[in-house]
Amino acid sequence: MRNSKRAIFLALAIFLVAGFFRFWELKSVPPGLYPDEAMNGNNALFALKTGDFSSFYPENNGREGLFINMQAGALSAFGNEPWALRFISAIFGTLTVLGIFYLGRELFRNFAGVGHLKIAGLYSNEIIALVASFFTAISFWHINFSRIGFRAIMAPFFLVWGLYFLWLLFREDISESGKSYSAALGGFVFGLGANSYIAYRVAPILLAIPLLKILKNKGGQKQIAIFLLLALAAFLPLGFYYFGHPQDFLGRTSQVSIFSESDPLKSFLINSAKSAGSFWFSGDWNPRHNLPGAPQLWWPVGILFALGLILSVLKYRHHLAVKILWLWLFIFALPVVLSSEGIPHALRSIIMIPAIMFFAGMGFLEVLTRISGWLDSQLERFPEKNKQITRIKFELILLVSAFFAAGIITAYTDYFMRWANLTDTYFAFNANYTEIGRWLNLQPSSVKKYVVVNAAGVQVAPPDDILGEPMPMPAQTIMFLTDTWPQSERIKKNIYYILPQNLSRADCAESCFLIPLEYNAEIALKIKKNISGLTLSVRAGFPVFYKGSDIR
């Protein structure tokens, strides 16, 4: 089956749509900076200062280092701005959409029953690939995580592109040397995925079926050896780290596992039902992950996904692509349903997105095939109605175009107009902390400035002072914006972080500013009780206690 130029043109158009949704207004949406993102940024800033880049950063329950090291490059180019951290996510998200097209075209290249069917100048595999790519491009689910500085967005990218290069080994029109290069590139890309997100660790299970098939092909053993060798090479730096720090391998997994609960089976069944229902009925309620409670899929995509699942069982269950997609859904659902936190969880299930969209593409192809087949049968029965049927086909093209346009409009409305303006979204990304950080950057370095960290979180110590007092994670947002995670920078900029129980340590003999992360009557009373002579002002847009120096 040849590839059509029209498919390439449409894939590039979808790629541009994906890029728009992932880069547009990135400087202002999402608002603020969540502390987990800020922790990445602080690790990256300190690595830039010291040149000590790591394959794993243990703070905040531990994170693989590849994403953070790439964020360091963005910070070096653009400065310590929230959008610079998210710029890397947007790149990965956009390239994943393109990868879904290329992988889908290979997965369904010889799709049973409709392998050589052509509709509107497009082969069936191209239609599935294009539709899956488009649905991902406009998916709120995927758009959202493509605009947040979380490493998980890399996981679908590495999986999709790794499988694409692996699938090229099934092609008969590629030379043996070409297949060797594909095996090498695919293995390396697939192996890099281990540096993305903890849920990716089950990905090797997905290789079992295709590798067994490739093994039967001419030169298959060599190709598999190359693939696995390069995958191992990509994993080695992280693997060596885990060998020396085995406690970091599991990290937070054991803390959120259902096996730590009294009735794991009951939790498993409830989690499975909630996770399955999230696609069509009630999705993630965390405003950082989703439009709270909205289904993870736009309702027409949800219907087509359901249709694709049904077809995969009734019509295409013996096809290799279908077996892979079902295994894809199953193994990547496990990290979600085996956890006890925030179910349904859009972030943990992010690697399922490509498989879901491929099933939806199958559903779309079925609908399109049936309509096209009915029109062709009518033309055979009533050749004299050729003009009317041709007009109906044209109107069908307009209807499909309107459907895709509606998807784009819905995605824009949901993300940029509804979600971006929610009060819940503002606080979910700690935009109030961002305002404090930017204000502190404008204050004179001669005045001592104290941030009262009265918010709970994982404790993180300064990286350059083993005796430095650890501070809860929420302080990381301000530390990133002011570049004061290291103790040396705090002294230089006269910005300090203090816990409520240690307020008496604040040096306000002559002048100072005190800014509580979370203002309430309790913290106001504590501040006034421990430090005399302070005045409260809200001119900065948030409460600031000050003495001996005016508020700018």
Side-chain angles (χ1 to χ4, degrees):
M1 184 188 299
R2 295 183 298 115
N3 301 318
S4 66
K5 292 181 180 179
R6 183 174 297 183
I8 298 296
F9 173 79
L10 290 173
L12 290 176
I14 292 169
F15 179 71
L16 292 177
V17 171
F20 169 80
F21 277 113
R22 284 148 186 82
F23 287 97
W24 177 252
E25 298 289 354
L26 191 59
K27 289 187 177 182
S28 57
V29 182
L33 183 68
Y34 186 57
D36 284 8
E37 297 177 278
M39 185 73 255
N40 287 358
N42 284 325
N43 282 126
L45 287 173
F46 193 68
L48 286 171
K49 286 185 175 73
T50 62
D52 185 18
F53 293 90
S54 178
S55 58
F56 191 89
Y57 294 91
E59 294 84 9
N60 193 26
N61 294 309
R63 292 138 301 135
E64 297 82 1
L66 178 62
F67 188 67
I68 294 170
N69 295 336
M70 296 180 75
Q71 286 180 310
L75 295 178
S76 178
F78 306 121
N80 54 326
E81 290 288 338
W83 69 269
L85 294 173
R86 295 162 178 167
F87 185 78
I88 302 300
S89 300
I91 292 174
F92 275 106
T94 305
L95 291 175
T96 300
V97 171
L98 186 63
I100 287 173
F101 165 73
Y102 279 103
L103 174 59
R105 198 172 59 170
E106 296 305 320
L107 273 177
F108 297 97
R109 183 168 289 275
N110 297 303
F111 197 44
V114 291
H116 297 279
L117 179 68
K118 209 171 185 183
I119 301 175
L122 296 169
Y123 291 106
S124 58
N125 66 321
E126 293 172 332
I127 293 173
I128 294 175
L130 286 167
V131 170
S133 180
F134 177 77
F135 285 163
T136 307
I138 63 163
S139 163
F140 182 100
W141 188 1
H142 195 263
I143 291 168
N144 184 51
F145 289 116
S146 298
R147 298 174 65 95
I148 304 176
F150 292 161
R151 70 197 191 282
I153 192 63
M154 295 195 302
F157 169 87
F158 287 124
L159 186 61
V160 163
W161 282 104
L163 289 177
Y164 164 70
F165 289 112
L166 178 65
W167 235 258
L168 291 179
L169 303 184
F170 290 109
R171 293 272 292 270
E172 296 178 358
D173 57 341
I174 296 178
S175 66
E176 290 302 310
S177 61
K179 288 184 178 181
S180 294
Y181 285 123
S182 292
L185 190 53
F188 191 74
V189 171
F190 187 88
L192 282 177
N195 296 270
S196 61
Y197 193 50
I198 196 168
Y200 192 91
R201 293 175 186 174
V202 299
I205 299 172
L206 201 57
L207 298 177
I209 297 174
L211 290 185
L212 286 174
K213 281 194 166 289
I214 292 169
L215 192 61
K216 300 175 183 177
N217 296 342
K218 179 184 177 182
Q221 290 183 347
K222 176 185 174 183
Q223 293 157 12
I224 290 174
I226 293 172
F227 183 92
L228 295 178
L229 185 64
L230 269 292
L232 178 62
F235 172 71
L236 272 182
L238 184 61
F240 280 132
Y241 176 88
Y242 284 143
F243 183 78
H245 306 81
Q247 72 280 2
D248 287 329
F249 181 73
L250 291 177
R252 190 164 170 261
T253 306
S254 57
Q255 300 173 28
V256 297
S257 170
I258 60 172
F259 297 108
S260 62
E261 297 185 355
S262 58
D263 193 344
L265 179 59
K266 179 181 178 182
S267 296
F268 174 78
L269 295 175
I270 292 173
N271 290 353
S272 298
K274 285 184 176 180
S275 296
S278 70
F279 304 133
W280 299 284
F281 307 112
S282 179
D284 197 325
W285 282 87
N286 186 336
R288 201 163 39 251
H289 297 170
N290 191 30
L291 195 57
Q296 298 301 141
L297 302 174
W298 182 38
W299 67 267
V301 177
I303 292 172
L304 292 171
F305 171 46
L307 178 59
L309 291 176
I310 295 169
L311 290 168
S312 71
V313 174
L314 299 181
K315 193 174 180 181
Y316 303 118
R317 61 181 176 275
H318 299 300
H319 195 277
L320 177 61
V322 168
K323 293 177 182 178
I324 289 295
L325 293 180
W326 270 106
L327 185 59
W328 191 327
L329 286 183
F330 176 75
I331 64 172
F332 289 113
L334 289 177
V336 184
V337 300
L338 294 179
S339 65
S340 58
E341 180 187 64
I343 304 296
H345 203 290
L347 179 60
R348 288 201 190 100
S349 55
I350 191 174
I351 317 181
M352 299 170 68
I353 292 177
I356 289 169
M357 298 311 177
F358 284 134
F359 276 119
M362 289 170 58
F364 182 89
L365 177 66
E366 181 71 14
V367 173
L368 198 62
T369 301
R370 286 184 177 274
I371 294 174
S372 178
W374 180 82
L375 288 173
D376 288 341
S377 68
Q378 295 304 301
L379 185 58
E380 288 180 8
R381 290 178 60 192
F382 308 105
E384 70 277 7
K385 302 289 185 180
N386 177 63
K387 187 176 292 186
Q388 292 93 324
I389 293 173
T390 301
R391 189 193 74 240
I392 293 172
K393 286 185 175 182
F394 177 73
E395 290 170 348
L396 178 62
I397 292 172
L398 291 180
L399 182 63
V400 171
S401 300
F403 169 71
F404 290 141
I408 293 173
I409 293 169
T410 299
Y412 185 90
T413 302
D414 284 349
Y415 187 84
F416 291 103
M417 299 180 71
R418 295 178 62 196
W419 179 83
N421 293 305
L422 287 176
T423 301
D424 287 346
T425 302
Y426 177 90
F427 287 106
F429 285 92
N430 302 91
N432 50 330
Y433 297 176
T434 307
E435 292 178 16
I436 294 172
R438 296 197 186 283
W439 179 83
L440 284 170
N441 283 332
L442 300 175
Q443 305 314 304
S445 58
S446 58
V447 178
K448 284 185 168 62
K449 298 165 283 292
Y450 294 93
V451 177
V452 183
V453 187
N454 60 326
V458 175
Q459 301 288 310
V460 180
D464 57 346
D465 184 0
I466 58 173
L467 299 177
E469 184 174 21
M471 287 291 149
M473 267 294 295
Q476 292 295 321
T477 297
I478 296 174
M479 290 179 183
F480 172 76
L481 291 165
T482 57
D483 192 10
T484 53
W485 184 38
Q487 187 67 26
S488 55
E489 292 294 333
R490 299 178 194 182
I491 295 170
K492 186 189 303 182
K493 297 175 181 178
N494 239 349
I495 297 176
Y496 303 96
Y497 299 87
I498 191 167
L499 297 172
Q501 61 267 32
N502 298 327
L503 279 167
S504 58
R505 298 179 188 175
D507 180 8
C508 290
E510 295 182 5
S511 64
C512 72
F513 295 139
L514 275 94
I515 309 100
L517 273 185
E518 300 290 345
Y519 182 81
N520 53 51
E522 181 183 356
I523 194 64
L525 186 63
K526 277 188 177 182
I527 290 172
K528 290 180 179 178
K529 183 179 179 180
N530 282 273
I531 305 167
S532 61
L534 293 176
T535 303
L536 176 63
S537 171
V538 292
R539 275 185 290 164
F542 46 84
V544 177
F545 293 88
Y546 70 98
K547 178 181 180 181
S549 183
D550 198 12
I551 301 290
R552 288 187 181 182

